[in-house]
């Protein structure tokens, strides 16, 4: 039985139709990603599912016993509420029922007894007698500090608390609206694991392509009021979408050709009109109406960078730079040289010191120790993730042009209205105050302002938040063709992989290491380094590590027993076998048609997946335990 179902559902705002006779069904266990351009109506669709927005026409059906929970886009407030209370707020209705029951518990009149019986049935149906245990379970599962206040937590931990408030409801369907905004990569990957472990249905909106690729079992696209469904993950969706767009172009070209032929025929002379076929005239009228009703695909943003003269070959050089903040070392002995044309990504947890390093690289902040040498002829354009360069009271036009009617882009004067249309702002919208814009629109204003400045060095601090996928991909293309120097702070893994040529990773205790390539390259190089240090083999360096380890053993005076040593030797092969089986189960359960199979089979395979995850985790824990015993033996 499906969880929810749309049947010819419509939602409009004024004259604008967001959902135009759409059909949708979500089944148990599906993880459905909703994609589309900013402003297409994705959040409106989620509001219909959550019950906040009612359709103008059509029907919305949901399983009568369904429990729907939502992880909101906005972070919870950093206030004085305890984390435990925030998680408990997800059960607010059950808390109310139990409070009402306890208030009536000592009443003995007939009406109160009847109400008590009714409340008892409701509480039993909702497992309302075990609220504290349910909250404690979620706190432990998400490693949340229940006694801390929200004001003591970072944004990532507040997001965990909000997820706890959703999961404590044991929902059948979980709604997520841009869950990764303003989260660091470590927290995003943690969130992915939590969603993969969740066995209910998921409907989510995200512009994080790596997250969509990993989580989605199906993509639904909202485009010009219509929903299209694409089985599989984001990579498969791109392939299918490209084929559909080519087919749409072909059909439109054939249609336009036929319309042009008929228009030419109807405009022929008196002789042709005297003998014209009235049926053909009616057909032409219908073609005109159809062409008028065709909803053209909204264009993507179009923008180019304003070029500046080249900087010197050396952009910035750091020598043995160290810096501390509030007594904590965030950069320790960093030596680095950035050359003209380098595209450098900065990655690390929130609060690690990425913005501080940017200020040092730009010469805005002197480090506590070390030398900083800036190159010559630098012209810097800076994108601020906090949008501090925008005046919320001023219009888009005034924020970008400073009141001028035209701006100069690569030596050509352009009217400001024409320029802003490249960033998808209509003339009317361009006169809107910034405070009335969505997050995605604010980011496009920032990009319009940024790209109107001559620059040979771009500094982008979280430019991808709230941007739709098409704008993200266009921004990638622009940056790849940019000949200046780029410093990029981003938690968007796919964006980093596609844009940067090297990565500065904040790895804790002030260590900032440089790696060639993007995020996946950093992961691979870090794993190789970790493997070499933990389990050396093969190279001369590895051989030296082996000899050093062997030389240390006699000092310990004892070694693992024969049985434990045999167990340790066998564990790597067992882990490899367990990983292979787990990957096979993950591939099977992520298949597009997996949830269309028999319910009992689906349940059995999901249970097998959970069991395999636990088995692999137990093997790894045992391997670590025996390695530590051996190292300390």
């Amino acid at each position: 039985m499906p969880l929810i179902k749309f049947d010819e559902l419509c939602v409009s705002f004024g004259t604008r139709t967001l959902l135009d006779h759409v059909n949708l069904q979500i089944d148990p266990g599906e993880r459905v990603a909703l994609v589309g351009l900013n402003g297409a109506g994705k959040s409106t669709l989620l509001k219909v599912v959550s019950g906040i927005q009612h359709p103008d026409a059509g029907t919305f059906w949901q399983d009568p016993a369904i429990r729907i929970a939502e992880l909101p886009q906005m972070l919870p407030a950093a206030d004085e509420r305890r984390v435990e209370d925030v998680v408990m707020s997800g059960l607010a209705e059950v808390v109310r029922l139990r409070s009402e029951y306890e208030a009536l518990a000592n009443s003995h009149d007939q009406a109160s007894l009847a109400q008590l019986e009714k409340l008892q049935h409701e509480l039993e149906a909702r497992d309302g007698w075990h609220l504290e245990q349910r909250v404690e379970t979620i706190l432990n599962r998400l490693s949340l500090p229940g006694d801390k206040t929200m004001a003591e937590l970072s944004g990532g931990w507040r997001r965990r608390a909000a997820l706890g408030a959703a999961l404590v409801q044991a929902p059948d369907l979980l709604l997520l609206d841009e869950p990764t905004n303003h989260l660091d990569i470590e927290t995003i990957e943690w969130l992915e694991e939590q969603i993969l472990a969740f066995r209910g249905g998921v409907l989510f909106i995200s512009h994080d392509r790596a997250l969509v690729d990993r989580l989605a079992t199906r993509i639904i696209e909202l485009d010009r009021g219509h929903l299209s469904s694409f089985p599989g993950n984001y990579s498969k969706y791109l392939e299918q979408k490209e084929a559909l767009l080519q087919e749409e172009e072909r059909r439109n070209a054939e249609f336009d050709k036929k319309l042009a032929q008929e228009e030419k025929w109807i405009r022929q002379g008196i002789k042709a009109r005297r003998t014209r076929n009235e049926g053909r005239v009616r057909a032409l009228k219908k073609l005109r109406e159809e062409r008028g009703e065709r909803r053209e695909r909204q264009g993507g943003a179009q923008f180019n960078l304003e070029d500046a003269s080249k900087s010197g070959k050396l952009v910035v050089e750091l020598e043995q730079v160290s810096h501390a903040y509030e007594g904590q070392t965030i950069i320790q002995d960093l030596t680095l040289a950035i050359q003209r044309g380098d595209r450098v990504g900065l990655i690390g947890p929130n609060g690690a010191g990425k913005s501080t390093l940017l200020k040092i690289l730009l010469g805005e902040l002197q480090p506590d120790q070390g030398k900083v040498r800036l190159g010559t002829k630098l012209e810097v354009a800076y994108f601020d993730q906090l949008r501090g360069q925008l005046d919320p009271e001023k219009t888009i036009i005034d924020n970008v042009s400073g009141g001028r009617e035209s701006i100069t882009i690569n030596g050509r004067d352009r009217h400001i209205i024409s320029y802003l249309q490249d960033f998808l702002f209509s003339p009317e919208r361009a006169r809107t105050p910034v405070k009335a814009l969505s997050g995605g629109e604010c980011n496009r204003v920032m990009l319009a302002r940024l790209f109107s400045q001559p620059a040979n060095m771009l500094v982008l601090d979280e430019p991808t938040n709230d941007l739709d996928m098409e704008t993200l991909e266009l921004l990638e293309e622009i940056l790849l063709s940019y000949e200046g120097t780029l410093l990029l702070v981003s938690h968007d893994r796919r964006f980093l992989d596609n844009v940067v040529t090297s990565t500065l990773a904040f790895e804790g205790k002030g260590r900032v290491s440089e790696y060639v390539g993007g995020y996946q390259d950093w992961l691979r190089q870090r794993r190789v380094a970790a493997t070499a240090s933990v389990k050396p083999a093969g190279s001369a360096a590895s051989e030296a590590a082996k000899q050093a380890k062997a030389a240390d053993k006699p000092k310990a005076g004892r070694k693992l027993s024969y049985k434990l040593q045999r167990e340790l030797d066998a564990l790597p092969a067992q882990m490899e076998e367990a990983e292979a089986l787990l990957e096979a189960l993950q591939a099977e359960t992520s298949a597009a048609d997996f949830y269309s199979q028999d319910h009992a089979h689906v349940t059995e395979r999901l249970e097998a997946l959970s069991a395999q995850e636990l088995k692999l985790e137990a093997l790894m824990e045992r391997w670590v335990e025996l390695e530590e015993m051996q190292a300390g033996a």
Side-chain angles (χ1 to χ4, degrees), residues 116-367:
L116 274 172
E117 185 177 359
K118 180 183 176 184
L119 289 170
Q120 181 173 350
H121 286 313
E122 287 194 49
L123 285 166
E124 287 174 354
R126 296 174 181 234
D127 193 23
W129 303 114
H130 303 96
L131 294 182
E132 291 78 12
Q133 294 94 315
R134 290 167 66 181
V135 171
E136 187 65 29
T137 298
I138 291 297
L139 290 174
N140 291 333
R141 176 178 164 187
L142 304 187
S143 302
L144 284 165
D147 291 333
K148 285 197 173 184
T149 66
M150 296 295 280
E152 296 177 80
L153 302 184
S154 66
W157 282 97
R158 298 207 309 276
R159 177 72 77 194
R160 286 195 188 207
L163 181 62
L167 293 180
V168 78
Q169 302 172 49
D172 303 293
L173 180 62
L174 182 61
L175 306 180
L176 308 172
D177 191 356
E178 291 294 351
T180 63
N181 270 4
H182 309 291
L183 298 185
D184 57 43
I185 291 176
E186 183 179 352
T187 308
I188 290 171
E189 292 179 334
W190 171 88
L191 181 63
E192 282 180 357
E193 295 299 331
Q194 297 302 316
I195 298 171
L196 284 169
F198 177 64
R199 295 309 175 203
V202 182
L203 175 60
F204 66 102
I205 299 170
S206 179
H207 296 144
D208 187 322
R209 292 160 294 178
L211 179 129
V212 174
D213 218 14
R214 188 174 181 206
L215 295 185
T217 57
R218 178 160 63 103
I219 307 282
I220 54 173
E221 182 189 47
L222 183 56
D223 180 18
R224 294 164 283 177
H226 298 291
L227 276 180
S228 302
S229 180
F230 301 85
N233 59 13
Y234 184 67
S235 299
K236 292 180 181 176
Y237 153 76
L238 288 178
E239 296 172 6
Q240 297 171 73
K241 183 61 180 177
E242 181 62 27
L244 281 179
L245 287 176
Q246 290 177 1
E247 177 61 20
E248 182 181 356
E249 277 187 31
R250 187 190 63 77
R251 288 199 309 267
N252 286 344
E254 289 180 356
F255 179 93
D256 292 343
K257 181 180 179 181
K258 182 177 180 182
L259 177 59
Q261 290 171 344
E262 297 301 292
E263 292 285 3
K264 181 179 179 181
W265 168 79
I266 199 68
R267 290 194 298 270
Q268 286 178 353
I270 295 173
K271 179 180 177 182
R273 285 200 297 273
R274 206 182 308 134
T275 60
R276 68 187 177 187
N277 183 305
E278 291 303 320
R280 193 171 175 183
V281 173
R282 287 193 296 272
L284 173 58
K285 183 179 179 183
K286 186 176 180 181
L287 283 174
R288 287 172 173 171
E289 291 171 353
E290 186 178 340
R291 181 62 183 85
E293 291 173 359
R294 185 197 297 169
R295 302 179 71 174
E296 299 288 0
R297 178 172 173 79
Q298 181 181 342
Q302 304 175 44
F303 39 84
N304 292 294
L305 291 168
E306 167 73 344
D307 291 332
S309 58
K310 286 185 178 181
S311 67
K313 185 174 182 181
L314 176 69
V315 173
V316 61
E317 185 176 51
L318 306 185
E319 184 178 341
Q320 297 294 305
V321 164
S322 296
H323 194 78
Y325 180 73
E326 294 183 351
Q328 182 177 354
T329 300
I330 56 177
I331 300 170
Q332 181 70 48
D333 295 331
L334 175 60
T335 296
L336 172 72
I338 296 177
Q339 307 284 340
R340 181 179 65 224
D342 286 350
R343 296 195 293 273
V344 184
L346 282 71
I347 61 176
N350 287 335
K354 299 186 294 295
S355 295
T356 300
L357 179 55
L358 279 183
K359 291 177 181 178
I360 292 174
L361 291 170
L362 295 175
E364 297 175 1
L365 177 67
Q366 287 299 314

